[in-house]
Amino acid sequence: MKIPRSHPRYGSLVTRETLVAAWKAGIVVPEGLIAHGRGEAFDYLLGEETSAPALVAEKAAAAFLVRAKSPVISVNGNVAALAATEVVRLARAIPDKLEVNLFHRPPARVHRIAGVLRKARAKEVLGLRPDARLPGLASKPAFAQRAGIYGADVVLVPLEDGDSTEALVRMGKVAISVDLNPLSRTSRTATVPVVDELTRAIPNIEKFVRELLEDAKEAARIARTYDRAGNLKATYSFLNWRLRNLLRGPKKKR
Amino acid sequence: MKIPRSHPRYGSLVTRETLVAAWKAGIVVPEGLIAHGRGEAFDYLLGEETSAPALVAEKAAAAFLVRAKSPVISVNGNVAALAATEVVRLARAIPDKLEVNLFHRPPARVHRIAGVLRKARAKEVLGLRPDARLPGLASKPAFAQRAGIYGADVVLVPLEDGDSTEALVRMGKVAISVDLNPLSRTSRTATVPVVDELTRAIPNIEKFVRELLEDAKEAARIARTYDRAGNLKATYSFLNWRLRNLLRGPKKKR
């Protein structure tokens, strides 16, 4: 099907097609499609652009990544489908490891996702030989690699669920989430919750990483002064303001 | 996978599993999974129960259905997967026709959905031999049956997109939508937008249908006095109030 460029939801429809194609290719699972829909709804409410509080969180994320001893970016099917190029660019900038980290983990799927990352010019992709189990996940077994997420001090977990994010935080790691729902368990649990759309958030973080790599003092200051609770509060205020405006004047379609 | 009953999102997870199973059975399409995710996000924001304005819209929907000359319920993959029993019960109460109405319409899929409805004890299912085309749909060909949606005066279109709802309204039909997003083009376009979750909305409408079948005068009064704009406004106020509360005090998970 050809989506007409004039369609009022052209951008959303194209992204949906990308995800459905990735599902057909065995990259994305059906649960990932449902999760994408939830994100879409929140992105719509947030105005489909990076908010001021999101930008603050993205800069903090960059500071933690730059200062990390052993940073890792976790990549699942949706992330590979929507932002392989962006995460690989970010990983190369830090430099940082990439680990395929899946809930639904048949080996063929892990290999396909690793393939997508390599095609996007990733140097090294972990996750193919998990050798450790994350503790404290009742509902599912979660495996990771000692050289990767398991041993990392800072983990970027875009589009991750609440259970996994919570497990990482409980292990004492700095978990940076990217999740459009500011009320999700993921956003409420992460050390640095970034409430923004993935393909906007990752390049923003990369830009800040490049800046902060040049200025270690500034990176230290940002990591030290980052106010998680204040930032979430600002995000809630922003969403509230957006909604007041949206709900005041929705135009009736004729 | 066994979802533990104690999981904070148990209900949502079970519904997701139902949809994924229906997708495996060829009932639901990937786009339907994404749409479900959007609905889930709004249901969460609305508090996952029927709001007072939704109840008013559901009663109005019942009044229009009871008073219709030729009412039809449109059924797509998500509706069949989530609420086959509920729509069949509603159809029998009115009585009303059921028509399988799909965007992605390979004959095998139409037959499978008709099968789901028949298994839920539907008497007659239309949509297998569409013989008319709905006018004004640029982005897709939309077919319907003259004896069904095409010739109906009142159409219940649960979980339908904005384009199709708009086409029905332009044809002069009373279109009753069920859509959790009060700001969607569907909700903004429908004659009677019901902003509620499907498996709550349909039984509510059925209950009101049974009441109004006994009281034609009351049905006439409700259809006459239904205030679409006022009802949508009340829905927006409700959502706004819910959000203010949600955003004021999200508890931090430890």
Side-chain angles (χ1 to χ4, degrees), chain A residues 208-227:
Chain A
F208 288 127
V209 159
R210 292 187 190 279
E211 283 175 25
L212 295 175
L213 280 171
E214 307 289 309
D215 191 346
K217 237 171 114 179
E218 176 69 357
R221 192 192 64 77
I222 289 169
R224 196 179 58 241
T225 58
Y226 168 65
D227 173 10

Side-chain angles (χ1 to χ4, degrees), chain B residues 1 28-29 57 66 84 86 92 96 103 117-118 130 134 137 142 147 163 175 192 195 211 220 228 250:
Chain B
M1 189 196 54
V28 164
V29 287
V66 162
E86 288 85 345
R92 293 172 80 109
D96 192 348
F103 183 14
L117 293 173
R118 282 201 206 92
L134 301 183
L137 272 161
D163 291 342
V192 183
V195 180
E211 283 175 25
R228 184 191 179 289

Side-chain angles (χ1 to χ4, degrees), chain B residues 50-62 192-194 208 222 226-227 231:
Chain B
T50 301
S51 68
L55 214 57
V56 169
E58 282 156 3
K59 195 162 193 173
V192 183
V194 173
F208 288 127
I222 288 168
Y226 168 65
D227 173 10
N231 186 255

Side-chain angles (χ1 to χ4, degrees), chain B residues 56-73 90 94-96 152-156 172-177 190-194 205 208-210 212-213 215-229 231:
Chain B
V56 169
E58 282 156 3
K59 195 162 193 173
F64 281 106
L65 286 168
V66 162
R67 290 171 55 75
K69 280 201 190 74
S70 182
V72 176
I73 303 175
L90 175 59
I94 299 173
D96 192 348
D153 56 345
V154 178
V155 188
L156 175 61
K173 301 181 192 307
V174 170
I176 302 162
S177 64
T191 324
V192 183
V194 173
I205 296 174
F208 288 127
V209 159
R210 292 187 189 279
L212 295 175
L213 280 172
D215 192 345
K217 238 172 112 179
E218 177 67 358
R221 191 192 64 77
I222 288 168
R224 197 178 56 241
T225 57
Y226 168 65
D227 173 10
R228 184 191 179 289
N231 186 255

Side-chain angles (χ1 to χ4, degrees), chain A residues 1 7 16 23 30 33-34 37-38 40-42 44-45 103 163 166 188 236 240 243 247 250-251 254, chain B residues 1 7 16 23 30 33-34 37-38 40-42 44-45 103 163 166 188 236 243 247 250-251 254:
Chain A
M1 189 195 53
H7 195 285
R16 280 177 216 166
W23 156 74
L33 298 178
I34 299 179
R38 288 196 298 277
E40 237 186 44
F42 278 99
Y44 175 79
L45 294 177
F103 183 13
D163 291 342
E166 200 170 340
R188 291 195 234 166
Y236 298 146
N240 211 347
L243 264 151
L247 298 175
K251 275 161 285 170
R254 255 165 310 157
Chain B
M1 189 196 54
H7 195 284
R16 281 177 216 166
W23 156 74
L33 298 179
I34 299 178
R38 288 195 297 277
E40 235 185 46
F42 278 100
Y44 175 79
L45 293 177
F103 183 14
D163 291 342
E166 200 170 342
R188 292 195 232 165
Y236 298 146
L243 264 152
L247 298 176
K251 276 160 283 170
R254 257 165 312 158

